[in-house]
Amino acid sequence: MGEMQWFLQENNHLPKNQKVFVSERFVKEGNPILWEIRAVSATELQDLDDADRICAAAVVMPNLKDKGLLESYGADDATILLKKMLTPVEYYRLLSASKALNGYQERKETIKQKAKN
């Protein structure tokens, strides 16, 4: 099989989930609760039409689909929930972290470098 074995699904892994600081307003025992985000697969990306939906899909914790959480903020879906939960700066932190984990920041830097050369 040679080199092809490295392309098999069992050898293909998305980046590991990351815990990220989003806000100091959500605390547990006096410490900010870190949010957990994950990489979004290309298959999932087909169904997501903008950065807001990609960001919401990347959040693992808190569970943005939790009925109680959605009701608490009067939100119909995860993208609206995030915008109601977070301040603009907090939302930007989360969006930046999810973009970085999914490789968007890296691609942006590559494009900048190519443009300079």
Side-chain angles (χ1 to χ4, degrees), residues 3 12 24 28-29 32 34 47 49 62-63 69 79 94 115:
E3 294 289 320
N12 178 13
E24 45 191 49
K28 180 180 180 180
E29 300 172 357
L34 297 179
D47 300 328
D49 55 0
N63 178 0
L69 188 59
T79 56
L94 179 61

Side-chain angles (χ1 to χ4, degrees), residues 40-48:
V40 178
S41 71
T43 304
E44 291 174 287
L45 194 60
Q46 291 175 2
D47 300 328
L48 305 171

Side-chain angles (χ1 to χ4, degrees), residues 48 59 95 97 110-111:
L48 305 171
V59 175
L95 185 61
T110 303
I111 291 168

Side-chain angles (χ1 to χ4, degrees), residues 21 23-34:
F21 170 78
S23 172
E24 45 191 49
R25 295 181 303 115
F26 306 102
V27 295
K28 180 180 180 180
E29 300 172 357
N31 296 312
I33 299 171
L34 297 179

